[in-house]
Amino acid sequence: MPIRRARMSDLLDMQATNIINLGENYAMKYYLYHAFSWSQLMHLYEDYNGKMNGYVMAKMEEEGETGDIPEHGHITSVATNRPARKLGIATTLMRQTEKQVKQVFNGRYIALHVRNTNDPAIRLYQDTLGYRVHAIDQKYYADDEDAYEMKYVFGGDPYGAKVMRISRNYNHDGILEWPEKNPDGKLKFDNLLMSKIKEERMKEQEKVREEEDAKETPSDRRKKNIVKRRLNRLMDGK
Protein backbone atom coordinates (compact mmCIF):
# COMPACT_ATOMS: atom_id res chain seq x y z
CA MET A 1 0.00 0.00 0.00
CA PRO A 2 1.27 3.54 -0.75
CA ILE A 3 1.90 4.67 2.84
CA ARG A 4 4.48 7.33 3.51
CA ARG A 5 5.56 9.72 6.24
CA ALA A 6 3.58 12.95 6.34
CA ARG A 7 5.17 16.24 5.26
CA MET A 8 4.35 19.81 6.27
CA SER A 9 2.49 20.25 3.00
CA ASP A 10 0.14 17.40 4.01
CA LEU A 11 -1.12 18.95 7.24
CA LEU A 12 -4.09 20.79 5.72
CA ASP A 13 -5.28 17.61 4.01
CA MET A 14 -4.86 15.69 7.26
CA GLN A 15 -6.91 18.28 9.12
CA ALA A 16 -9.63 18.14 6.44
CA THR A 17 -9.74 14.33 6.64
CA ASN A 18 -10.07 14.59 10.41
CA ILE A 19 -12.93 17.10 10.25
CA ILE A 20 -14.86 15.07 7.66
CA ASN A 21 -14.55 11.72 9.41
CA LEU A 22 -14.20 12.31 13.15
CA GLY A 23 -15.98 14.20 15.89
CA GLU A 24 -12.78 15.10 17.76
CA ASN A 25 -11.06 17.87 15.80
CA TYR A 26 -7.84 19.83 16.34
CA ALA A 27 -6.47 23.27 15.54
CA MET A 28 -3.63 23.47 13.02
CA LYS A 29 -1.12 24.32 15.76
CA TYR A 30 -1.69 20.84 17.20
CA TYR A 31 -0.72 19.21 13.89
CA LEU A 32 2.35 21.44 13.73
CA TYR A 33 3.27 20.47 17.30
CA HIS A 34 3.19 16.78 16.36
CA ALA A 35 5.09 17.37 13.11
CA PHE A 36 7.92 19.24 14.86
CA SER A 37 8.10 16.85 17.84
CA TRP A 38 7.30 13.39 16.47
CA SER A 39 7.45 13.49 12.66
CA GLN A 40 8.30 9.76 12.66
CA LEU A 41 4.81 9.05 14.03
CA MET A 42 2.78 10.83 11.34
CA HIS A 43 1.88 8.73 8.29
CA LEU A 44 -0.71 8.87 5.57
CA TYR A 45 -2.17 6.66 2.89
CA GLU A 46 -2.40 7.90 -0.70
CA ASP A 47 -4.20 6.21 -3.56
CA TYR A 48 -2.46 5.92 -6.91
CA ASN A 49 -3.87 9.29 -7.97
CA GLY A 50 -2.15 10.99 -5.05
CA LYS A 51 -5.35 11.50 -3.03
CA MET A 52 -5.10 11.13 0.75
CA ASN A 53 -7.53 8.54 2.05
CA GLY A 54 -6.27 8.10 5.59
CA TYR A 55 -3.72 9.20 8.16
CA VAL A 56 -2.41 8.44 11.64
CA MET A 57 -0.92 10.92 14.09
CA ALA A 58 0.77 9.83 17.31
CA LYS A 59 3.09 11.14 20.03
CA MET A 60 5.34 9.92 22.83
CA GLU A 61 4.46 10.36 26.48
CA GLU A 62 6.55 10.02 29.64
CA GLU A 63 5.36 8.36 32.81
CA GLY A 64 6.03 9.09 36.45
CA GLU A 65 6.00 12.46 38.21
CA THR A 66 9.52 13.26 37.03
CA GLY A 67 9.28 11.52 33.66
CA ASP A 68 11.76 8.89 34.85
CA ILE A 69 9.84 5.91 33.45
CA PRO A 70 10.50 5.03 29.77
CA GLU A 71 8.20 6.63 27.28
CA HIS A 72 5.22 5.02 25.60
CA GLY A 73 3.41 5.92 22.41
CA HIS A 74 -0.09 7.37 22.23
CA ILE A 75 -2.34 7.46 19.17
CA THR A 76 -3.69 11.01 18.94
CA SER A 77 -5.85 10.47 15.87
CA VAL A 78 -6.41 7.95 13.09
CA ALA A 79 -8.96 8.35 10.31
CA THR A 80 -9.90 6.79 6.98
CA ASN A 81 -12.25 8.27 4.38
CA ARG A 82 -15.52 6.35 4.08
CA PRO A 83 -15.05 5.15 0.46
CA ALA A 84 -11.68 3.68 1.43
CA ARG A 85 -12.76 1.77 4.54
CA LYS A 86 -12.63 -2.02 4.93
CA LEU A 87 -9.43 -2.10 2.86
CA GLY A 88 -6.98 -2.54 5.72
CA ILE A 89 -5.72 1.04 5.54
CA ALA A 90 -6.20 1.83 9.24
CA THR A 91 -4.60 -1.49 10.22
CA THR A 92 -1.51 -0.78 8.11
CA LEU A 93 -1.22 2.77 9.43
CA MET A 94 -1.46 1.56 13.03
CA ARG A 95 1.12 -1.18 12.51
CA GLN A 96 3.54 1.33 11.01
CA THR A 97 3.11 3.58 14.06
CA GLU A 98 3.67 0.67 16.45
CA LYS A 99 6.86 -0.22 14.59
CA GLN A 100 8.17 3.34 14.87
CA VAL A 101 7.29 3.64 18.57
CA LYS A 102 9.19 0.45 19.32
CA GLN A 103 12.20 0.82 17.03
CA VAL A 104 12.78 4.57 16.97
CA PHE A 105 11.69 5.59 20.48
CA ASN A 106 12.14 2.28 22.34
CA GLY A 107 8.60 2.57 23.73
CA ARG A 108 7.20 -0.15 25.99
CA TYR A 109 3.66 0.00 24.64
CA ILE A 110 1.27 2.17 22.66
CA ALA A 111 -2.04 3.49 24.02
CA LEU A 112 -5.17 5.16 22.70
CA HIS A 113 -8.63 6.30 23.77
CA VAL A 114 -11.84 5.22 22.05
CA ARG A 115 -15.50 5.99 22.70
CA ASN A 116 -17.10 3.17 24.67
CA THR A 117 -19.96 2.98 22.12
CA ASN A 118 -17.73 2.92 19.01
CA ASP A 119 -18.20 -0.71 18.01
CA PRO A 120 -16.26 -0.68 14.67
CA ALA A 121 -13.23 1.06 16.19
CA ILE A 122 -13.17 -1.19 19.26
CA ARG A 123 -13.36 -4.30 17.05
CA LEU A 124 -10.47 -3.00 14.94
CA TYR A 125 -8.26 -2.23 17.92
CA GLN A 126 -9.16 -5.35 19.89
CA ASP A 127 -9.83 -8.14 17.40
CA THR A 128 -7.54 -7.10 14.54
CA LEU A 129 -4.71 -5.27 16.29
CA GLY A 130 -4.69 -6.95 19.72
CA TYR A 131 -5.28 -3.95 21.98
CA ARG A 132 -6.78 -4.48 25.45
CA VAL A 133 -8.70 -2.24 27.86
CA HIS A 134 -6.73 -1.03 30.88
CA ALA A 135 -9.02 1.68 32.23
CA ILE A 136 -12.32 3.47 31.76
CA ASP A 137 -12.00 7.26 31.68
CA GLN A 138 -15.30 8.78 32.73
CA LYS A 139 -16.66 11.69 30.68
CA TYR A 140 -13.46 11.78 28.62
CA TYR A 141 -15.06 13.36 25.57
CA ALA A 142 -16.61 16.81 25.19
CA ASP A 143 -20.13 15.35 25.15
CA ASP A 144 -19.38 13.45 28.42
CA GLU A 145 -19.10 10.01 26.83
CA ASP A 146 -16.82 7.56 28.64
CA ALA A 147 -13.67 6.29 26.93
CA TYR A 148 -11.78 3.02 27.03
CA GLU A 149 -8.06 3.46 27.48
CA MET A 150 -6.64 0.64 25.38
CA LYS A 151 -3.03 -0.50 25.14
CA TYR A 152 -0.93 -2.67 22.87
CA VAL A 153 1.98 -3.95 24.95
CA PHE A 154 5.01 -5.06 22.99
CA GLY A 155 5.79 -8.64 23.94
CA GLY A 156 2.29 -9.49 25.13
CA ASP A 157 -0.32 -8.16 27.54
CA PRO A 158 -1.54 -10.54 30.27
CA TYR A 159 -3.39 -7.84 32.23
CA GLY A 160 -5.76 -6.01 29.87
CA ALA A 161 -9.47 -6.76 29.48
CA LYS A 162 -11.46 -7.74 26.40
CA VAL A 163 -14.72 -5.98 25.54
CA MET A 164 -17.35 -8.71 25.45
CA ARG A 165 -20.34 -6.41 24.98
CA ILE A 166 -20.19 -2.86 23.64
CA SER A 167 -21.72 -0.11 25.75
CA ARG A 168 -25.11 1.13 24.60
CA ASN A 169 -24.93 4.41 26.49
CA TYR A 170 -22.45 7.25 26.88
CA ASN A 171 -21.91 6.12 30.48
CA HIS A 172 -20.26 2.73 30.37
CA ASP A 173 -22.64 -0.24 30.66
CA GLY A 174 -20.74 -2.77 28.56
CA ILE A 175 -19.18 -6.04 29.72
CA LEU A 176 -15.41 -6.49 30.12
CA GLU A 177 -13.61 -9.81 30.60
CA TRP A 178 -10.52 -9.44 32.79
CA PRO A 179 -7.77 -12.09 32.70
CA GLU A 180 -7.04 -14.26 35.73
CA LYS A 181 -3.67 -12.56 36.14
CA ASN A 182 -5.39 -9.24 36.84
CA PRO A 183 -8.12 -9.82 39.46
CA ASP A 184 -7.70 -6.22 40.61
CA GLY A 185 -8.81 -5.03 37.17
CA LYS A 186 -12.27 -6.50 37.62
CA LEU A 187 -12.39 -5.21 41.20
CA LYS A 188 -11.58 -1.66 40.06
CA PHE A 189 -14.20 -1.90 37.33
CA ASP A 190 -16.82 -3.22 39.78
CA ASN A 191 -16.02 -0.38 42.18
CA LEU A 192 -16.35 2.13 39.34
CA LEU A 193 -19.69 0.64 38.34
CA MET A 194 -20.97 0.76 41.92
CA SER A 195 -19.88 4.38 42.32
CA LYS A 196 -21.78 5.25 39.13
CA ILE A 197 -24.90 3.49 40.40
CA LYS A 198 -24.61 5.32 43.73
CA GLU A 199 -24.16 8.66 41.95
CA GLU A 200 -27.21 8.03 39.73
CA ARG A 201 -29.33 7.10 42.75
CA MET A 202 -28.29 10.26 44.58
CA LYS A 203 -29.26 12.31 41.53
CA GLU A 204 -32.65 10.59 41.39
CA GLN A 205 -33.23 11.25 45.10
CA GLU A 206 -32.26 14.89 44.67
CA LYS A 207 -34.65 15.21 41.73
CA VAL A 208 -37.50 13.73 43.81
CA ARG A 209 -36.76 16.18 46.62
CA GLU A 210 -36.78 19.10 44.21
CA GLU A 211 -40.12 17.96 42.76
CA GLU A 212 -41.58 17.64 46.24
CA ASP A 213 -40.30 21.09 47.20
CA ALA A 214 -41.87 22.54 44.07
CA LYS A 215 -45.26 21.11 45.09
CA GLU A 216 -45.13 22.59 48.60
CA THR A 217 -47.47 25.45 49.45
CA PRO A 218 -46.37 28.40 51.64
CA SER A 219 -48.39 26.89 54.45
CA ASP A 220 -46.51 23.55 54.12
CA ARG A 221 -43.14 25.34 54.23
CA ARG A 222 -44.16 27.28 57.38
CA LYS A 223 -45.20 24.06 59.11
CA LYS A 224 -41.93 22.38 58.10
CA ASN A 225 -39.88 25.30 59.45
CA ILE A 226 -41.80 25.17 62.77
CA VAL A 227 -41.03 21.44 63.09
CA LYS A 228 -37.35 22.05 62.29
CA ARG A 229 -37.09 24.78 64.95
CA ARG A 230 -38.69 22.56 67.56
CA LEU A 231 -36.33 19.70 66.70
CA ASN A 232 -33.36 22.03 66.96
CA ARG A 233 -34.48 23.19 70.42
CA LEU A 234 -34.84 19.57 71.56
CA MET A 235 -31.34 18.75 70.23
CA ASP A 236 -29.94 21.79 72.09
CA GLY A 237 -31.74 20.77 75.28
CA LYS A 238 -33.87 23.91 75.42
Side-chain angles (χ1 to χ4, degrees), residues 5-36:
R5 186 183 296 183
R7 299 185 286 260
M8 285 293 181
S9 57
D10 298 315
L11 298 187
L12 284 174
D13 285 340
M14 292 175 67
Q15 186 182 42
T17 302
N18 169 268
I19 292 171
I20 292 170
N21 294 282
L22 299 177
E24 291 71 48
N25 309 130
Y26 309 99
M28 178 52 63
K29 62 182 180 181
Y30 203 57
Y31 292 87
L32 289 168
Y33 173 56
H34 279 68
F36 283 122

Side-chain angles (χ1 to χ4, degrees), residues 204-220:
E204 289 175 359
Q205 292 171 357
E206 181 65 27
K207 185 178 179 181
V208 170
R209 283 195 294 269
E210 290 176 355
E211 290 175 351
E212 290 176 349
D213 291 341
K215 294 177 182 178
E216 282 185 345
T217 64
S219 175
D220 292 332

Side-chain angles (χ1 to χ4, degrees), residues 11-178:
L11 298 187
L12 284 174
D13 285 340
M14 292 175 67
Q15 186 182 42
T17 302
N18 169 268
I19 292 171
I20 292 170
N21 294 282
L22 299 177
E24 291 71 48
N25 309 130
Y26 309 99
M28 178 52 63
K29 62 182 180 181
Y30 203 57
Y31 292 87
L32 289 168
Y33 173 56
H34 279 68
F36 283 122
S37 304
W38 306 284
S39 61
Q40 302 95 327
L41 303 181
M42 297 180 73
H43 291 84
L44 56 86
Y45 167 86
E46 284 184 341
D47 63 20
Y48 291 100
N49 294 317
K51 179 183 178 182
M52 183 189 300
N53 271 320
Y55 75 89
V56 63
M57 179 169 68
K59 61 183 178 179
M60 298 302 296
E61 293 183 334
E62 295 178 347
E63 297 182 61
E65 294 182 0
T66 59
D68 53 346
I69 301 176
E71 292 181 316
H72 69 269
H74 187 96
I75 301 293
T76 302
S77 179
V78 57
T80 305
N81 287 333
R82 288 187 181 277
R85 291 178 185 175
K86 305 293 185 180
L87 298 176
I89 294 172
T91 299
T92 307
L93 288 167
M94 292 286 289
R95 288 301 188 210
Q96 179 65 21
T97 303
E98 293 163 9
K99 179 181 176 181
Q100 294 293 95
V101 167
K102 185 177 182 180
Q103 295 183 356
V104 177
F105 294 97
N106 197 30
R108 297 182 301 120
Y109 64 88
I110 189 162
L112 56 83
H113 284 88
V114 59
R115 289 178 177 272
N116 78 161
T117 59
N118 192 344
D119 191 2
I122 291 170
R123 295 306 169 201
L124 168 67
Y125 300 140
Q126 175 176 283
D127 301 339
T128 304
L129 296 170
Y131 284 67
R132 294 292 182 264
V133 175
H134 280 253
I136 301 169
D137 290 341
Q138 294 177 278
K139 298 182 179 180
Y140 180 83
Y141 292 98
D143 57 5
D144 288 342
E145 181 171 349
D146 294 348
Y148 290 136
E149 181 188 1
M150 305 185 78
K151 296 180 181 179
Y152 180 78
V153 182
F154 303 125
D157 180 8
Y159 300 107
K162 291 186 69 174
V163 181
M164 304 306 293
R165 191 191 74 190
I166 300 294
S167 292
R168 292 165 292 188
N169 300 298
Y170 276 16
N171 294 327
H172 182 268
D173 63 357
I175 296 176
L176 301 178
E177 181 180 79
W178 295 91

